[in-house]
Amino acid sequence: MTDVLVCIKRVPGASGEVLLSDDGQRVDARHVGWTLSAHEECAIELATQVAGATGGTATVLTVGSADAIEQLRDALALGCDRAVLVEAETDRFGPVDVAAAIAEVVRAHEAAGTSYGLVLLGNDAADTGDFQVPVRLAYALARPVVTGIATCTVEGDLVVAHGDGPDGPETFELPVPAVVAVMEGGVAPRYPSVMGRMKAKKVAIEQVAAEIEPVGSGRVRLTLPPEQPSQVQVLGQGADAAPAVVDLLEELGMVSR
Amino acid sequence: MIAVLVETDADGVLVVSQEALTFGRGLAERAGGVPLHAVAVGRPGEEPPAVVLAQLGEQGVASVHHVVDDRLTAYSAAAWAAALVDVAHSAGAAVVLAAGTPRGNEVLAHTATRLDVAMAANVVGIDAVGADPGDPLIVTRQVVGGAVLEQMQLGDTVAVLSVAGHAVEPAAAATATTPEVVEFSPTMTDADLVARVVRTGEKVPDASGALTSARVVVGAGRGAGSADGFKDVVRLSELLGGAVGVSRVVTSLGWRPHHEQVGQTGSRISPDLYIACGISGAIQHWAGCSSAKTILAVNTDPDAPMVTRAHYAVIGDLHEIVPAINDELDARRT
Ligand SMILES: Cc1cc2nc3c(=O)[nH]c(=O)nc-3n(C[C@H](O)[C@H](O)[C@H](O)COP(=O)(O)OP(=O)(O)OC[C@H]3O[C@@H](n4cnc5c(N)ncnc54)[C@H](O)[C@@H]3O)c2cc1C
């Protein structure tokens, strides 16, 4: 039986125009809304698979504001059994702080009788993209960690994880308990069922406050990359443009004759 | 000194690692000419290959810390980090950096944690180096999949950072060097070897390697319409000797394999020419293709971001335009 903890983050939606707050300290998601990243949707899927296969539980956790309950409910609807909100002013949090806040909960739950044999996280957050929380968490808990993982299973006392390495597909075998950072592409996240959504509404969410003094993220400010004025040269409409395209290909030296 | 972790393959130093070296050299020059060192994991009993030494010399590397240890034949991020930490301490690194590859970011995250310092991922530029040692380094890095830039301060004793793919072009130093090779075996514990690769499978012949190094990439997105809608696009890529790249919608729908995905969560490509057919140009896709030298967009929507940001465009249905291009190529060839 493996109890799995999966850590997720509420992030700005992907499609549409990204705006920034006036002080340049945060993304203004007014037009794009909030969502879960693809890596984390896959991590949730793997968490429920491992919990299901081993007869354990899947607990979803986020460090964030109370608004992030929306994403916790989404994860519950996808099959997680329990949810934890670690309330924190995440604007002041860097990867060191988020990892410390998660580690606190892992230790507290262990003291209360639930030890997580597997902790899953997204490989990197869709917004801050720090690539560090899984590794820093693993060190805080003195557990082994791998990142960039597409699929994983728990077989006895081993977490067997697969990812794509520079020389081909790679397999890792880590002793339980372990930390695994998931990259999208290995599993297809499921869609929530109506039943799942109904069940998710009824689950009581554990709420704790992060008891740490943050070291911060080092952020000075955010800016939008300068938008280049369009310089596009339209070669034509429809199939009639084909000769002009091939002229261009020849000009660029792309066609061997 | 500035230490750059370099990744190598059978052809020598990876292009992204050469970019990281060029980036590191720029930083070294701004810091008043501090030495540039490379760290490379080698095979026990072997010298660094001549091609690697030549490429490092071209980048102006003064010293190569060549990690040779039987325990490092299988990759383990913690063990590689142990090596970087050793170099940082023994040679007094002010900055430790690597290319922002999956390996690079993983090893640097371990390194920063072990050194108990901050790390900046996907750095694209240096804003301030500081006049005195210990002054904070201020960098700009990509966040939100490249839609936003973050200025970040690395105020620690050692600055750890990964360089975003294609943030700079690899460029040779004004004067090439003959790097001194320092062999060493890092201080490690058994715990550093727990999370190591136990098996490496057969590389899928046309996995993303072909895509990232292709001179021409022919891309297709939702506009392809179905799994069957890629025939002409594939044919065009064959005619041009290129690779096929796709958007996330395409891989999510199972139309094409994930290793063909271009973008924030796929491959970052930098071909001479990217032909993007039926791809809207969402910021997460753009993050992976913005380094293409020339972009030709084929799209029904003249206002699609891919069209307005491209160099050239053809407006219309890709299912009419792409076969017409293929026919024209065939006709001119005979
Ligand atoms: C965290 C995160 C990471 C992501 N990572 C990636 C990533 O790595 N790569 C990626 O690509 N996306 C990524 N996305 C998804 C991204 O936001 C977009 O949803 C996706 O790129 C859109 O794919 P598309 O352009 O194929 O489809 P659409 O946006 O639907 O665009 C289809 C385009 O095709 C045109 N079209 C339609 N029919 C035709 C026709 N017959 N002929 C010509 N043109 C036609 C339309 O005008 C439109 O411009 C990510 C999203 C998130 C949230």
Side-chain angles (χ1 to χ4, degrees):
Chain A
M1 191 193 81
T2 306
D3 290 321
V4 186
L5 180 71
V6 55
C7 306
I8 63 168
K9 184 177 188 185
R10 175 181 167 88
V11 293
S15 47
E17 198 193 348
V18 176
L19 299 176
L20 301 179
S21 64
D22 290 339
D23 62 0
Q25 289 303 306
R26 61 194 69 79
V27 172
D28 176 345
R30 202 179 319 158
H31 298 311
V32 290
W34 297 90
T35 185
L36 280 176
S37 81
H39 295 330
E40 285 153 31
E41 285 175 354
C42 292
I44 291 169
E45 178 60 30
L46 283 169
T48 57
Q49 283 182 11
V50 169
T54 62
T57 57
T59 301
V60 58
L61 173 152
T62 193
V63 180
S65 67
D67 294 336
I69 287 176
E70 185 187 344
Q71 279 64 43
L72 291 176
R73 296 252 180 243
D74 287 346
L76 288 167
L78 292 170
C80 290
D81 305 293
R82 298 177 196 152
V84 186
L85 171 70
V86 185
E87 251 195 292
E89 249 186 87
T90 37
D91 283 347
R92 294 174 58 220
F93 274 40
V96 174
D97 307 312
V98 176
I102 299 171
E104 243 181 23
V105 173
V106 172
R107 286 192 210 102
H109 282 199
E110 188 159 299
T114 306
S115 337
Y116 297 110
L118 178 62
V119 180
L120 296 172
L121 306 91
N123 198 61
D124 52 282
D127 54 353
T128 47
D130 288 307
F131 292 85
Q132 292 162 60
V133 174
V135 172
R136 293 196 186 267
L137 172 66
Y139 279 81
L141 296 171
R143 294 181 182 192
V145 58
V146 277
T147 71
I149 292 306
T151 60
C152 74
T153 51
V154 175
E155 290 162 27
D157 288 336
L158 283 184
V159 176
V160 181
H162 304 276
D164 207 11
D167 303 317
E170 292 174 336
T171 305
F172 299 84
E173 293 173 356
L174 316 184
V176 170
V179 177
V180 169
V182 177
M183 199 132 103
E184 71 160 320
V187 285
R190 66 186 79 175
Y191 290 100
S193 63
V194 177
M195 282 278 287
R197 287 232 171 268
M198 307 250 292
K199 215 181 97 208
K201 279 193 197 140
K202 297 195 192 113
V203 176
I205 291 176
E206 178 188 340
Q207 301 199 21
V208 294
E211 304 279 354
I212 55 168
E213 191 42 52
V215 300
S217 65
R219 174 173 296 174
V220 179
R221 84 173 69 80
L222 299 175
T223 54
L224 294 175
E227 187 58 48
Q228 307 292 344
S230 176
Q231 311 224 313
V232 66
Q233 184 182 335
V234 177
L235 298 176
Q237 312 268 337
D240 294 345
V245 171
V246 178
D247 287 348
L248 172 70
L249 294 175
E250 286 180 350
E251 212 175 286
L252 294 171
M254 295 295 161
V255 189
S256 51
R257 307 189 75 186
Chain B
M1 65 94 171
I2 291 177
V4 182
L5 172 70
V6 298
E7 296 178 64
T8 59
D9 66 9
D11 298 329
V13 178
L14 298 191
V15 173
V16 280
S17 289
Q18 294 179 34
E19 292 171 1
L21 284 163
T22 301
F23 190 93
R25 197 177 69 236
L27 184 54
E29 281 161 9
R30 278 187 64 172
V34 304
L36 182 67
H37 289 200
V39 183
V41 178
R43 292 175 195 278
E46 289 180 22
E47 298 274 302
V51 51
V52 168
L53 285 180
Q55 285 166 321
L56 296 178
E58 201 170 280
Q59 289 289 341
V61 169
S63 266
V64 191
H65 302 266
H66 195 231
V67 190
V68 279
D69 193 309
D70 287 332
R71 296 169 296 174
L72 283 166
T73 359
Y75 169 74
S76 150
W80 283 39
L84 276 182
V85 168
D86 268 4
V87 170
H89 286 319
S90 67
V95 183
V96 175
L97 63 89
T101 60
R103 284 259 200 283
N105 280 320
E106 185 178 42
V107 173
L108 290 182
H110 281 262
T111 305
T113 307
R114 285 164 173 257
L115 291 169
D116 195 18
V117 299
M119 162 182 165
N122 279 331
V123 171
V124 293
I126 302 293
D127 297 326
V129 174
D132 299 309
D135 275 0
L137 181 66
I138 297 178
V139 299
T140 292
R141 66 187 200 99
Q142 292 175 339
V143 293
V144 199
V148 179
L149 297 173
E150 177 184 64
Q151 202 175 51
M152 176 178 171
Q153 177 170 327
L154 286 163
D156 296 294
T157 41
V158 184
V160 175
L161 61 95
S162 71
V163 182
H166 315 310
V168 292
E169 291 226 9
T175 37
T177 52
T178 310
E180 156 206 33
V181 179
V182 187
E183 262 196 25
F184 81 108
S185 165
T187 330
M188 291 185 285
T189 65
D190 289 344
D192 295 329
L193 300 168
V194 167
R196 69 167 186 268
V197 174
V198 293
R199 272 188 303 283
T200 304
E202 203 57 33
K203 194 167 186 163
V204 189
D206 106 273
S208 44
L211 182 58
T212 48
S213 59
R215 241 183 106 220
V216 186
V217 175
V218 183
R222 193 198 299 274
S226 71
D228 296 330
F230 290 82
K231 277 193 235 67
D232 302 315
V233 168
V234 171
R235 168 120 175 86
L236 177 56
S237 83
E238 286 165 0
L239 286 171
L240 298 175
V244 173
V246 300
S247 74
R248 194 175 75 212
V249 167
V250 168
T251 56
S252 301
L253 291 169
W255 294 350
R256 300 289 300 182
H258 185 263
H259 66 74
E260 290 183 354
Q261 183 171 317
V262 170
Q264 183 189 343
T265 47
S267 297
R268 286 173 184 244
I269 58 170
S270 58
D272 289 339
L273 174 65
Y274 182 44
I275 306 181
C277 309
I279 298 177
S280 61
I283 192 76
Q284 295 83 9
H285 187 85
W286 188 252
C289 71
S290 60
S291 303
K293 290 204 183 63
T294 302
I295 296 178
L296 165 64
V298 175
N299 203 303
T300 43
D301 176 7
D303 297 322
M306 188 56 94
V307 173
T308 57
R309 289 171 166 188
H311 305 91
Y312 301 95
V314 177
I315 307 305
D317 185 346
L318 73 93
H319 295 292
E320 293 166 13
I321 296 163
V322 179
I325 297 171
N326 292 343
D327 290 347
E328 181 73 20
L329 280 167
D330 282 335
R332 291 201 200 178
R333 220 162 252 200
T334 49

